[in-house]
Amino acid sequence: MSKTMKTTQLPVMEAFYTIQGEGHFSGNSAYFIRLGGCDVGCVWCDVKDSWDASQWPKESVEEIVAKASAHPGRLAVVTGGEPLMYDMTELTNQLHAAGFQTNIETSGAHPLSGNWDWLCFSPKKFKAPKEEFYAAADELKVIIYNKSDFKWAEAHAAKMSENSLLYMQPEWDQSEKMLPEIIEYVKNNPKWKISLQTHKFMNIP
């Protein structure tokens, strides 16, 4: 999709009010906006239904923000899919106007757009990220699927800004095997923190 025109409609796979389960904002109430469309193709993706944007109805930015505003929390998390396949400027502007903090979770595979209060950058091996995300991100979250991912995580961490937070998160189906490895790694490399998918333990979306 061209980003030269203002994006006023977006394909919404789902939107819901819940508790953020991952990363720096884990435990906070949040309204999630999951956009359809992704061309990154992670083999272990837990929302593969999001990949085909044409499956999901397009909603106006005004409608998206109105639905978010029906809930008491004012933290909006935009995710996907890969939300930066679309120009996020209008959505973030209207969310801010409605009093929301705007957070995004992105692989960084598409150019950065939108006005974000917090950017969670989660690069994937399947499609290289844009260089601009290393300086822009507040948080690096690397999914650990096997032992080779530790070296891969460090390669990305070396390019991050000094104040960014560094998280390792076990891929859910590999948690039993990889979480003990991550625990030992973080104990030996204390610049890293551990992120867990706590919403799955709580059985919430």
Side-chain angles (χ1 to χ4, degrees), residues 7-166:
T7 302
T8 58
Q9 287 192 320
L10 293 163
V12 179
M13 177 183 174
E14 57 182 351
F16 51 89
Y17 189 53
T18 187
I19 303 296
Q20 167 64 284
E22 305 177 9
H24 181 63
F25 284 86
S26 180
N28 286 274
S29 59
Y31 187 79
F32 270 71
I33 302 165
R34 186 181 303 283
L35 299 181
C38 186
D39 58 0
V40 178
C42 302
V43 295
W44 37 256
C45 178
D46 56 3
V47 282
K48 289 181 179 178
D49 286 349
S50 70
W51 291 3
D52 183 0
S54 67
Q55 290 189 51
W56 308 110
K58 287 189 175 181
E59 296 184 16
S60 69
V61 168
E62 290 79 7
E63 185 178 3
I64 294 169
V65 174
K67 289 179 178 178
S69 299
H71 303 277
R74 285 298 177 268
L75 171 61
V77 179
V78 181
T79 185
E82 175 45 68
L84 289 177
M85 289 178 67
Y86 313 99
D87 188 335
M88 294 285 94
T89 305
E90 187 67 14
L91 178 61
T92 53
N93 286 349
Q94 291 201 30
L95 285 168
H96 279 143
F100 282 90
Q101 174 175 328
T102 58
N103 291 16
I104 188 172
E105 298 180 356
T106 177
S107 68
H110 289 265
L112 180 59
S113 64
N115 301 304
W116 302 103
D117 298 306
W118 190 265
L119 194 158
C120 175
F121 171 40
S122 186
K124 304 297 188 294
K125 291 182 176 180
F126 312 97
K127 189 168 186 179
K130 304 291 185 184
E131 288 294 318
E132 63 184 317
F133 286 89
Y134 295 103
D138 301 288
E139 171 184 349
L140 173 70
K141 183 176 69 180
V142 178
I143 308 303
I144 303 296
Y145 184 81
N146 56 44
K147 289 185 178 182
S148 69
D149 290 331
F150 291 109
K151 183 177 181 180
W152 192 78
E154 290 290 1
H156 288 288
K159 300 169 75 172
M160 297 294 292
S161 64
E162 183 178 352
N163 295 324
S164 60
L165 302 180
L166 306 178

Side-chain angles (χ1 to χ4, degrees), residues 142-195:
V142 178
I143 308 303
I144 303 296
Y145 184 81
N146 56 44
K147 289 185 178 182
S148 69
D149 290 331
F150 291 109
K151 183 177 181 180
W152 192 78
E154 290 290 1
H156 288 288
K159 300 169 75 172
M160 297 294 292
S161 64
E162 183 178 352
N163 295 324
S164 60
L165 302 180
L166 306 178
Y167 286 91
M168 290 182 173
Q169 179 173 299
E171 194 278 327
W172 180 254
D173 290 334
Q174 299 295 318
S175 291
E176 185 175 348
K177 175 183 176 183
M178 294 310 302
L179 184 55
E181 299 271 357
I182 295 171
I183 291 170
E184 288 306 309
Y185 193 91
V186 171
K187 286 164 65 176
N188 290 320
N189 299 273
K191 66 182 179 181
W192 289 94
K193 301 171 186 265
I194 295 176
S195 172

